[in-house]
Amino acid sequence: MAQTLLAVLLVLASGYTLPDLSRLRDFSWLKVWLSRWTRVGDDASTSRVPLVLLPLLLVVACLLIQAALARVLFGLPAFAFGVIVLFYAWGPRDLDADVEAVLKAPDSDRRNSAAQALRADPATATLPLEAAPLVEATFASALSRWFGVLFWFVILGPAGALGYRIVQLLARHPAFTAEIEASQRSVLERTALILDWAPTHLVAMTLALVSEFDAVIQTWRDYHAAHGRGYFTLDLGFLGALARAGVEADVMAGDGYATDVSDPLVELADARKVLRRILVAWLAVIALLALAGLTH
């Protein structure tokens, strides 16, 4: 676990100090593989090969590399491999930079254009420059760019981070979904939701701890009561409602007096602060596990 924490810290530090390295997160090779897989699937004898096997095969290959490197030079190559894969799977865009671009935009047109980069799914409708949609989009992007990758990296190492990112791309990025038939897309989307389930709930619980606990928990209860689907389903829409509640309560309490929570820039800036607190809380838990001797 100590190596996991160190790997995460190195990736975060590289993102802040060397932002240009993000251009190395190039998944064009995945599109080539997808095209080949699709051509194989067009064969009548293999037309039912599920596309979800593609990320599964990549995860298995990554696990084999992890296992092989773990026995070499006291595991140092395995650690380096983990850092590289985590950096590659992180993002791919820098969420802090995208939020900063919106906050520092010189006019409304450029601010509106910059806000579109906050969408977790580029195929979704244009994001309006309003407080609630901006907060929801920022939390959804944080789940995809930070917390989902971090959760699966802690659970499965580099294979978990890479598998999560590839499923996200295949299920939700228009550059890939355009080449996938509807039935396969639905399987991939369900797989993406399954991978998001645990990190989404952990983000929600951490949000309650680092913002206004009562407001977040009550909103969580109200959401499930209104939708009638219970807590153990793949309905993850509650995160947006909780994000709005937590950020609004945080803004109201920030200066000791009521603040206009309808200001999109105030809400967006506070959403970034809250997400940073959540990330720090996750890192603190990993550090405590490392101190407890749960090595990885």
Side-chain angles (χ1 to χ4, degrees), residues 100-174:
E100 190 70 12
V102 178
L103 297 176
K104 296 295 179 65
D107 55 64
S108 59
D109 288 339
R110 276 178 278 191
R111 181 172 294 122
N112 185 68
S113 177
Q116 306 316 308
L118 294 175
R119 294 176 296 173
D121 184 352
T124 55
T126 300
L127 183 65
L129 201 63
E130 300 170 3
L134 281 177
V135 170
E136 290 184 21
T138 303
F139 267 73
S141 289
L143 175 66
S144 173
R145 302 186 197 188
W146 294 355
F147 300 111
V149 179
L150 177 54
F151 176 85
W152 288 107
F153 182 74
V154 171
I155 298 299
L156 293 176
L162 182 63
Y164 177 83
R165 175 57 58 225
I166 288 174
V167 170
Q168 288 284 320
L169 289 172
L170 292 177
R172 293 166 179 168
H173 198 286

Side-chain angles (χ1 to χ4, degrees), residues 73-118:
L73 291 175
F74 308 104
L76 290 177
F79 173 72
F81 177 70
V83 173
I84 292 170
V85 173
L86 179 61
F87 176 83
Y88 188 60
W90 200 263
R93 294 179 60 92
D94 186 328
L95 182 59
D96 280 316
D98 286 344
V99 171
E100 190 70 12
V102 178
L103 297 176
K104 296 295 179 65
D107 55 64
S108 59
D109 288 339
R110 276 178 278 191
R111 181 172 294 122
N112 185 68
S113 177
Q116 306 316 308
L118 294 175

Side-chain angles (χ1 to χ4, degrees), residues 5-18:
L5 177 61
L6 181 56
V8 175
L9 292 176
L10 287 174
V11 169
L12 291 174
S14 65
Y16 283 110
T17 58
L18 300 169

Side-chain angles (χ1 to χ4, degrees), residues 18-63:
L18 300 169
D20 289 343
L21 288 180
S22 61
R23 69 179 185 278
L24 299 177
R25 295 174 179 138
D26 182 5
F27 284 88
S28 57
W29 60 270
L30 182 58
K31 195 164 186 180
V32 175
W33 282 36
L34 176 61
S35 299
R36 292 178 179 175
W37 189 280
T38 304
R39 285 200 299 269
V40 171
D42 287 338
D43 188 309
S45 63
T46 59
S47 59
R48 292 300 178 185
V49 177
L51 184 56
V52 74
L53 286 179
L54 176 56
L56 180 60
L57 289 174
L58 291 170
V59 167
V60 170
C62 196
L63 284 171

Side-chain angles (χ1 to χ4, degrees), residues 237-249:
F238 63 86
L239 183 61
L242 268 59
R244 296 197 308 272
V247 170
E248 287 179 5

